[in-house]
Amino acid sequence: MASIQLHDKVFKPYIDRREVEAIIEKMAYDIAQIDDEDLLVVIVLNGSMFFATDLLRRIERPWEIDTMRLSSYHGGLQSSGQVEFILDVKAEVNGRNVLLIEDIVDTGRTLAFLHEHFKGLGAQEIMTATLLHKPSQRINDMPIEYIGKDIDDAFVVGFGLDYRELGRNLPEIYVLES
Ligand code: 5GP
């Protein structure tokens, strides 16, 4: 894996394809144990698109899957601190347990926003599966039931994560070169 340039920034290899696959395999096994035939799985776009498809293909449970779209980075390296709502779920949420599929949890603001939102729609239990987590950045203690990997505070791209809309389709995860 070589370094890669996206717009004005250079990113170096960080988590290779084999490790990403092993992380997802383990998460799929754990999530498949959820004891709920009526679970609603919600893919939080855009960042989790590749993670979600790889993860959910490995889970042989006939769960309803829906998508929603949020934006919080507005194309930069720093979160704007404001979560923008772009597209909501269509599925019936009231009375159901929900599993959110997230790409990365940084401050946890998006997670808090999602909990509020799904509580408002009448969800019973709200669970989260995230590929990556930056524990040092958290400003709240919203629970995360399934974490792929804890990482340091660094800006990463690839496997769905972008820098100003580029880099999502990289099959590995790269980190900003300092
Ligand atoms: P939070 O609300 O937890 O601070 O931020 C969550 C969102 O910020 C993620 O869903 C993702 O879109 C974006 N984000 C956080 N850290 C990174 C990162 O290192 N790289 C990229 N590309 N996006 C990130």
Side-chain angles (χ1 to χ4, degrees):
M1 283 165 73
S3 291
I4 183 161
Q5 175 141 10
L6 302 173
H7 298 295
D8 57 334
K9 303 275 186 244
V10 178
F11 295 84
K12 62 182 181 198
Y14 188 49
I15 308 173
D16 69 23
R17 193 190 304 229
R18 282 219 329 263
E19 186 175 350
V20 174
E21 271 171 21
I23 291 168
I24 294 176
E25 191 73 50
K26 162 93 175 59
M27 292 181 85
Y29 177 83
D30 292 344
I31 290 169
Q33 314 307 314
I34 294 176
D35 186 18
D36 183 356
E37 295 305 321
D38 190 39
L39 183 71
L40 173 63
V41 179
V42 175
I43 303 172
V44 184
L45 298 171
N46 285 339
S48 65
M49 57 169 104
F50 292 94
F51 168 52
T53 49
D54 276 18
L55 177 76
L56 296 171
R57 258 196 305 237
R58 288 177 160 94
I59 300 176
E60 290 176 28
R61 301 284 304 268
W63 288 324
E64 182 175 358
I65 298 170
D66 202 353
T67 55
M68 68 185 302
R69 189 167 168 203
L70 298 178
S71 169
S72 69
Y73 255 58
H74 302 287
L77 297 170
Q78 291 282 316
S79 173
S80 64
Q82 291 226 313
V83 183
E84 193 187 330
F85 211 103
I86 300 177
L87 180 77
D88 201 356
V89 286
K90 279 257 171 72
E92 178 63 55
V93 174
N94 196 27
R96 296 176 77 182
N97 296 326
V98 174
L99 175 68
L100 303 170
I101 310 288
E102 269 279 22
D103 49 359
I104 189 164
V105 176
D106 185 3
T107 61
R109 273 194 201 98
T110 306
L111 209 53
F113 175 91
L114 287 167
H115 270 248
E116 270 309 294
H117 180 66
F118 281 96
K119 263 192 240 149
L121 293 176
Q124 225 163 37
E125 192 184 345
I126 303 163
M127 294 169 278
T128 301
T130 185
L131 178 61
L132 300 173
H133 177 225
K134 298 182 191 171
S136 64
Q137 296 302 101
R138 292 293 298 277
I139 58 162
N140 57 37
D141 55 4
M142 305 298 300
I144 307 177
E145 286 72 16
Y146 304 94
I147 295 176
K149 188 178 171 80
D150 283 335
I151 62 168
D152 294 335
D153 175 27
F155 187 79
V156 292
V157 295
F159 218 80
L161 290 155
D162 73 308
Y163 169 51
R164 288 166 48 204
E165 294 307 325
L166 298 185
R168 291 195 198 277
N169 58 326
L170 292 167
E172 290 98 353
I173 293 169
Y174 289 72
V175 64
L176 182 66
E177 266 189 9
S178 47

